[in-house]
């Protein structure tokens, strides 16, 4: 036992010299803090370096096949119904379990958006038992908004069909107000009474254009990032989170970028790595 752990024990936990009794019934077990993740595709050395540069505890690539490493731990995703059928995503997840040793599986990515998974609720419900067959903890389909009617319909039909959804997933791209963001996280948990993973979040100005880039400053983004991460780690129901943004030249998400064009961390990236 480490000296720090020994010294932290109450006197009542000590019996004979050098012998520890069971912890008292009233002992408080610290809850684990939400795990910081990396949302990063790519299969090259740069992708591996960038994931590790963020000091992430886990990562995902929006796919069912681990890309560059299983350290940090890889969490697979069944991206869409088409990916499930055409690419045998569920089979791939199962075949890789001896290597990934994952306990979790992410569901469909933005099924309510035409350029993403683009699925009806009924299609998602019909295919969900295939995801259940893995035996892994299942994250809900991740809709564009945590308040999406699509998600509400899916969860209602899943309950009626006795389908399993173990934790909720969400995306959030908004203005740099941590209080507003954390309210969305809390509301998602309260509505469905499940743990939450925030698999994509950052600051975005969707009205920005190449000629009028984001109205939000990097300083505002940095302050939001620190407050949002601290807030999520204070919530016992938030299990994991992952910041995501495009490159620094993107007009909408540029100030949120974690990586410079040369692949090095931006200031935001260095802050995220330190959290």
């Amino acid at each position: 036992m480490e000296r720090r752990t020994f010294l932290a024990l109450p006197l009542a936990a000590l019996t004979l010299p050098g012998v520890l009794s069971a912890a008292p019934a009233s002992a408080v077990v610290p809850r684990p803090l939400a795990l910081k993740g990396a949302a990063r595709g790519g299969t090259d050395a740069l992708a591996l370096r960038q994931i590790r540069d963020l000091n992430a505890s886990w990562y995902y690539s929006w796919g069912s096949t681990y890309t560059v490493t299983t350290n940090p731990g890889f969490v697979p995703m069944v991206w869409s119904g088409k990916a499930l059928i055409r690419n045998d995503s569920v089979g791939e997840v199962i075949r890789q379990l001896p290597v990934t040793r994952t306990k979790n599986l992410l569901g469909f990515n933005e099924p309510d958006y035409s350029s993403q998974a683009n699925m009806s609720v009924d299609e998602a419900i019909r295919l969900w038992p295939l995801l259940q067959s893995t035996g892994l903890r299942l994250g809900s389909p991740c809709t564009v908004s945590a308040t999406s009617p699509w998600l509400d319909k899916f969860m209602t039909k899943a309950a009626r069909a006795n389908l399993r959804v173990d934790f909720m997933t969400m995306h959030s791209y908004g203005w740099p107000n941590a209080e507003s963001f954390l309210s969305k996280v809390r509301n998602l948990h309260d509505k469905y009474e499940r743990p939450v993973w925030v698999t994509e979040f950052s600051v975005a100005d969707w009205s920005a254009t190449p000629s009028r880039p984001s109205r939000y400053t990097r300083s505002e983004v940095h302050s939001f990032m620190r407050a949002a991460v601290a807030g999520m780690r204070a919530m016992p129901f938030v299990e994991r989170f992952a910041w995501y943004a495009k490159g620094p030249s993107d007009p909408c998400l540029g100030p949120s970028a974690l990586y410079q064009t040369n692949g090095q961390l931006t200031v935001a990236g260095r802050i995220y790595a330190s959290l």
Side-chain angles (χ1 to χ4, degrees):
M1 175 175 292
E2 290 186 357
R3 182 173 181 271
R4 287 175 299 174
T5 303
F6 181 87
L7 293 177
L9 288 171
L11 291 176
L14 303 178
T15 53
L16 298 177
V19 179
L20 302 181
S21 69
S26 60
V28 176
V29 179
R31 67 174 182 82
L33 295 176
L35 297 178
K36 177 178 65 178
R40 180 69 168 87
T43 58
D44 57 10
L46 176 60
L48 174 60
R49 191 191 79 205
Q50 290 180 329
I51 290 169
R52 290 181 170 170
D53 280 351
L54 294 176
N55 296 318
S57 298
W58 65 284
Y59 85 101
Y60 77 105
S61 63
W62 299 274
S64 57
T65 305
Y66 80 90
T67 51
V68 290
T69 184
T70 56
N71 181 25
F74 172 73
V75 177
M77 170 187 282
V78 176
W79 190 81
S80 69
K82 291 181 179 178
L84 192 159
I85 303 301
R86 293 178 182 175
N87 303 334
D88 187 25
S89 295
V90 166
E92 187 66 15
V93 170
I94 294 173
R95 287 189 292 272
Q96 289 188 122
L97 282 177
V99 178
T100 65
R101 299 184 181 182
T102 184
K103 305 295 184 185
N104 303 287
L105 175 61
L106 298 172
F108 308 120
N109 188 73
E110 297 188 350
D112 54 337
Y113 193 44
S114 59
S115 65
Q116 294 293 317
N118 190 28
M119 301 170 68
S120 69
V121 171
D122 287 340
E123 180 187 9
I125 291 292
R126 177 173 57 84
L127 296 174
W128 201 253
L130 295 176
L131 277 66
Q132 282 193 186
S133 70
T134 64
L136 300 173
R137 293 179 74 235
L138 292 180
S140 69
C142 197
T143 48
V144 172
S145 166
T147 59
S148 168
W150 192 104
L151 180 61
D152 199 43
K153 291 175 183 176
F154 174 87
M155 294 299 291
T156 298
K157 291 192 173 187
R160 289 173 181 168
N162 199 29
L163 298 177
R164 178 168 54 85
V165 179
D166 299 299
F167 57 93
M168 305 305 298
T169 63
M170 66 173 281
H171 292 170
S172 180
Y173 296 98
W175 59 308
N177 184 295
E179 182 178 351
S180 174
F181 164 74
L182 293 169
S183 292
K184 294 175 185 177
V185 177
R186 186 179 300 106
N187 291 341
L188 181 65
H189 166 262
D190 291 349
K191 183 171 185 177
Y192 298 110
E193 299 182 326
R194 288 169 172 82
V196 174
W197 289 29
V198 183
T199 53
E200 292 181 25
F201 79 110
S202 67
V203 174
D205 178 2
W206 297 118
S207 65
T209 66
S211 61
R212 195 204 65 77
S214 176
R215 78 190 82 169
Y216 304 125
T217 66
R218 286 172 171 77
S219 177
E220 288 176 311
V221 170
H222 302 162
S223 295
F224 168 82
M225 178 188 284
R226 290 188 177 98
V229 170
M232 286 188 288
R233 283 186 167 149
M235 294 175 168
F237 50 81
V238 177
E239 293 185 344
R240 303 193 183 197
F241 60 86
W243 183 275
Y244 177 71
K246 297 181 180 179
S249 62
D250 184 85
C252 302
L253 290 157
S256 293
L258 296 176
Y259 310 110
Q260 301 174 20
T261 54
N262 64 3
Q264 300 297 317
L265 292 179
T266 62
V267 174
R270 294 197 296 273
I271 292 171
Y272 189 68
S274 72
L275 298 176

